[in-house]
Amino acid sequence: MKPIRVALLGCGTVGTEVVRLLTDQADDLTQRIGAPVELVGIAVRRPNKHREVPEHLLTTDAEALVKSDDVDVIVEVIGGIDPTRGLLLEALQRGKSVVTANKALLAEHGPDLFEAADASGADLYFEAAVAGAIPLLRPLRESLAGDRITRVMGIVNGTTNFILSAMDATGAGYSETLEEASRLGYAEADPTADVDGFDAASKAAILASLAFHTRVTASDVYREGIRAVSAADIAAAKGLGRTVKLLAICERVTSPSGQESVAVRVHPAMIPRTHPLASVNGAFNAVFVEADAAGEMMFYGQGAGGAPTASAVVGDLVAVARNMVASGHGPRESAYAALSAQPMGNTPTRYHISLDVADKPGVLSQVAAVFAEHDVSIAAVRQEGRVEDASLVIVTHAATDAALRSTVDKIGGLPVVRDVVSVMRVEGEE
């Protein structure tokens, strides 16, 4: 067979590892695919920064590489929206298959890319976009295609999981733990995308799109980060036999009238220490999937890093190359369900609420009256301390998030409540 000619866009941490894998495993890849893989060009911004790569492969003209008739497959590890979106659309429109790790682009413009791929018959693979080395998207897209997935819940950001795990282990606060994560290389110089939940929200949109056969974009995802998580929150979770994780939660929900929709959210939550996700620590990722026939499954592994992510990228490249050798193509976009996105306010959640209260008779009855007024049921209540240190901790049963928010807002205005110290959602068994 003639070689499968590949162009690489970007050669940073992940791209360098992709080049290494293609070089070190060249003979094995040829046997697995049925044809050799030939790297014909690498687009970078500063060629002099890539001395580990053969100089004749480097170019600063990514567009020319995409348009070249000598390229069959484009592998993109640049990241970002522009100019990447235009480059990948150009490649797909020309019938070149694309392998990408770009979660932000897929979450914002996935439909455009899928439509271009469908129109030309090209493949679009993106396993590395959500959970690094963890085989997750292909099982959702292919292995579970005969099942009905009802829920996907997971830890999909290594930086925030490292921070929360360290806070749980040491009792330290958020700011000092973030500094430690930066020192160890787990957090970027600007950690906004991670700690404010943008990265996880993009991944949640991709997961929901595949799981529920519906186009879900990042704007459909409710998002909260971990900046407000305190050492007191972690300690409170421990007291309840729980731990705090930043979760991406994608659910198929049914209204009282029988109308189905999807609820997609990213936020910190307390989960039982007995839950499989509770033991996922450090920079590791894990995703818990529930399906009607298959039941409960968990996918676990390294969710980031150059070599783990490159493993998923090269795995996609092998799949694309095999399709080319067999004169076929991979799965197309499945968005037939076209379910609407449920607003966060209508989504059932549970809250853990910590209140600084006056130590006087009738406090609990006044607080309980507000819960009853908003039709929110209390699952557990605990009062701690006396006088100036008096506090009230309440855990609710499930209610709409809007009702819970309204309840907290009104409680904060009660004369007997000095401060709403913290509010955190609770997931898992009641």
Side-chain angles (χ1 to χ4, degrees):
M1 290 290 294
K2 66 178 183 179
I4 307 297
R5 299 162 299 181
V6 177
L8 179 64
L9 306 185
C11 197
T13 302
V14 176
T16 300
E17 287 296 320
V18 169
V19 174
R20 182 185 65 80
L21 289 175
L22 291 179
T23 303
D24 292 351
Q25 300 188 39
D27 292 340
D28 285 341
L29 292 176
T30 298
Q31 296 301 315
R32 294 169 194 167
I33 293 167
V37 173
E38 182 183 351
L39 187 59
V40 297
I42 304 172
V44 295
R45 284 185 294 179
R46 295 181 291 273
N48 62 322
K49 298 289 185 179
H50 302 275
R51 301 189 184 281
E52 72 284 0
V53 177
E55 186 177 355
H56 72 277
L57 293 177
L58 297 173
T59 178
T60 58
D61 194 343
E63 186 175 357
L65 205 54
V66 166
K67 292 180 178 179
S68 172
D69 293 334
D70 293 328
V71 173
D72 302 310
V73 182
I74 297 294
V75 175
E76 181 269 313
V77 288
I78 302 172
I81 304 297
D82 292 313
T84 313
R85 176 175 175 269
L87 292 169
L88 297 193
L89 283 174
E90 178 74 29
L92 292 168
Q93 288 163 0
R94 289 174 174 267
K96 303 178 193 296
S97 292
V98 166
V99 173
T100 178
N102 196 327
K103 66 261 183 182
L105 180 61
L106 288 162
E108 294 286 347
H109 300 287
D112 294 340
L113 298 176
F114 280 116
E115 287 173 4
D118 287 345
S120 67
D123 277 341
L124 176 61
Y125 277 71
F126 45 94
E127 183 66 65
V130 170
I134 305 171
L136 172 62
L137 302 191
R138 204 168 301 167
L140 291 178
R141 203 178 182 189
E142 300 177 35
S143 305
L144 293 171
D147 208 339
R148 182 178 184 271
I149 298 173
T150 55
R151 197 167 197 251
V152 179
M153 180 173 78
I155 298 164
V156 294
N157 183 272
T159 299
T160 52
N161 199 51
F162 176 87
I163 292 170
L164 293 174
S165 298
M167 290 175 68
D168 184 87
T170 66
Y174 166 77
S175 297
E176 57 206 277
T177 309
L178 173 59
E179 289 180 8
E180 178 69 2
S182 298
R183 186 183 69 80
L184 294 173
Y186 288 111
E188 301 285 347
D190 179 1
T192 300
D194 295 319
V195 301
D196 288 341
F198 289 100
D199 176 83
S202 293
K203 294 171 179 179
I206 296 169
L207 288 171
S209 298
L210 295 181
F212 307 129
H213 305 279
T214 292
R215 287 181 171 178
V216 178
T217 65
S219 62
D220 297 318
V221 181
Y222 174 82
R223 175 188 55 79
E224 283 182 23
I226 67 167
R227 289 184 194 268
V229 177
S230 66
D233 291 326
I234 302 293
K238 281 187 174 182
L240 294 169
R242 293 175 175 265
T243 189
V244 177
K245 298 292 185 183
L246 181 71
L247 299 178
I249 304 172
C250 314
E251 299 173 296
R252 187 192 296 265
V253 293
T254 304
S255 70
S257 65
Q259 184 71 33
E260 278 200 334
S261 59
V262 296
V264 190
R265 49 198 165 105
V266 167
H267 55 69
M270 295 181 180
I271 61 173
R273 288 186 178 269
T274 54
H275 193 285
L277 291 177
S279 60
V280 178
N281 293 315
F284 279 77
N285 285 189
V287 177
F288 200 73
V289 178
E290 299 175 30
D292 282 352
E296 298 177 342
M297 297 155 281
M298 192 172 84
F299 300 83
Y300 169 83
Q302 295 192 57
T309 305
S311 171
V313 170
V314 175
D316 276 352
L317 177 57
V318 168
V320 168
R322 284 172 171 169
N323 293 338
M324 295 177 65
V325 169
S327 300
H329 57 70
R332 322 314 288 170
E333 180 189 25
S334 177
Y336 70 90
L339 301 177
S340 61
Q342 177 172 268
M344 184 61 184
N346 296 342
T347 301
T349 58
R350 297 168 58 212
Y351 276 16
H352 173 279
I353 306 161
S354 180
L355 306 173
D356 182 0
V357 297
D359 184 19
K360 57 194 297 186
V363 171
L364 181 56
S365 62
Q366 290 185 53
V367 171
V370 176
F371 279 89
E373 177 187 337
H374 290 85
D375 199 26
V376 176
S377 175
I378 295 175
V381 61
R382 183 174 74 251
Q383 186 165 351
E384 301 174 342
R386 298 294 301 273
V387 193
E388 294 301 321
D389 293 326
S391 65
L392 198 62
V393 176
I394 298 168
V395 179
T396 74
H397 288 296
T400 64
D401 199 74
L404 284 161
R405 281 183 174 273
S406 297
T407 301
V408 171
D409 288 344
K410 186 157 186 180
I411 287 173
L414 292 176
V416 295
V417 175
R418 292 191 289 256
D419 186 28
V420 178
V421 178
S422 72
V423 178
M424 184 169 292
R425 294 179 181 84
V426 178
E427 292 292 329
E429 296 179 2
E430 297 192 21

